[in-house]
Amino acid sequence: MAARRPLIAGNWKMNGLRADGVALARAVAGGAVIPCELVVCPPATLLAPAAEALSGSRVGLGGQDCHAQAKGAHTGDVSAAMLADLGCSHVIVGHSERRTDHGEDDATVNAKAKAAHAAGLIAIVCVGESEADRDSGRTLQVVGGQVEGSLPTGARAANTVVAYEPVWAIGSGRTPTPEQIREVHGHIRTTVAQCLGQPAADAMRLLYGGSVKPGNAAEILALPDVDGALVGGASLSADDFLAIGKSCP
Ligand code: 13P
């Protein structure tokens, strides 16, 4: 099986003015050498100054969303090519906040991931069940369906990462049990194998996201089929984000 290098991605969401963003990016870039890959995903307004602050470092840059089209009359949107042009290597697509706030469905997410690939970006494709889905015993069905619907045919380990983020764990301080994370990640890998073949599934990185903190990162990152984390709130502190990075096995 191909080795999967752990990836810790920080999703800053809609946080930070220029001075904060530059200071945070600089502090992450200046952190001690970490045994995994680090990527930060600032809001669109901070991508250019963050790119400058990260230049020469080994920390990658990602967008939080992209449009499915390469260009055109889409007021307020940003294309994958524009992100790549600013120095991004990654883009998050299908985050639950986009699925909820902007009504994005699997087909939209699939098209955005495809656009990311066309621009040479690695798509971080987010999936995750709601609390009602989990309470009704539908977690594996819902998450498996999102994986099937959201991964475009050209997805492979080199251009795609899947992030499992249970909606009820995001920003809540609650996390699934290790057994629940293990079960869902195993199911995601099986589903990826059915969609894209076993070699792609074996090599693809699966991140866990939802209330990852320095205090719980080591336990989560040590689980089988967990190849990193997508971190929200804790990524706004360079110390916490780097501490999570240092927890990689
Ligand atoms: P929190 O780490 O704040 O729970 O957010 C997780 C998330 O949504 C990352 O994309």
Side-chain angles (χ1 to χ4, degrees):
M1 192 198 295
R4 299 187 297 262
R5 184 158 187 247
L7 167 66
I8 306 294
N11 176 7
W12 296 2
K13 307 193 180 183
M14 195 173 72
N15 291 293
L17 301 180
R18 189 146 46 161
D20 315 312
V22 167
L24 181 54
R26 278 203 189 120
V28 171
V33 176
I34 301 286
C36 62
E37 192 179 337
L38 293 183
V39 171
V40 294
C41 303
T45 51
L46 295 181
L47 285 169
E52 200 176 319
L54 296 174
S55 94
S57 81
R58 287 162 47 187
V59 180
L61 185 68
Q64 296 178 10
D65 177 51
C66 65
H67 197 275
Q69 302 294 321
K71 62 178 179 175
H74 301 288
T75 303
D77 279 311
V78 171
S79 76
M82 293 169 180
L83 297 177
D85 189 44
L86 277 183
C88 289
S89 48
H90 293 69
V91 61
I92 299 169
V93 292
H95 191 282
S96 74
E97 288 149 17
R98 301 277 328 164
R99 290 179 185 261
T100 302
D101 296 355
H102 298 271
E104 296 188 6
D105 60 10
D106 292 338
T108 309
V109 178
N110 187 307
K112 290 183 172 202
K114 203 169 179 170
H117 296 159
L121 297 178
I122 296 171
I124 302 176
V125 179
C126 301
V127 297
E129 83 285 4
S130 68
E131 187 150 35
D133 293 330
R134 180 159 285 278
D135 289 347
S136 60
R138 299 180 66 244
T139 296
L140 297 186
Q141 189 188 331
V142 167
V143 172
Q146 289 175 334
V147 170
E148 275 174 32
S150 303
L151 292 186
T153 44
R156 48 199 159 76
N159 65 15
T160 306
V161 173
V162 176
Y164 167 55
E165 299 204 308
V167 178
W168 53 272
I170 294 175
S172 65
R174 298 161 61 204
T175 54
T177 64
E179 176 51 28
Q180 286 171 331
I181 296 175
R182 194 207 57 72
E183 182 187 35
V184 178
H185 277 236
H187 185 66
I188 291 173
R189 203 173 298 287
T190 302
T191 309
V192 172
Q194 285 160 1
C195 298
L196 304 173
Q198 195 64 49
D202 285 343
M204 192 170 286
R205 289 179 293 183
L206 309 183
L207 312 185
Y208 168 77
S211 297
V212 176
K213 309 281 176 212
N216 60 18
E219 183 182 30
I220 292 170
L221 293 169
L223 294 170
D225 286 316
V226 174
D227 309 307
L230 182 54
V231 184
S235 73
L236 297 174
S237 151
D239 286 348
D240 285 357
F241 187 60
L242 293 168
I244 292 168
K246 284 177 188 150
S247 305
C248 286

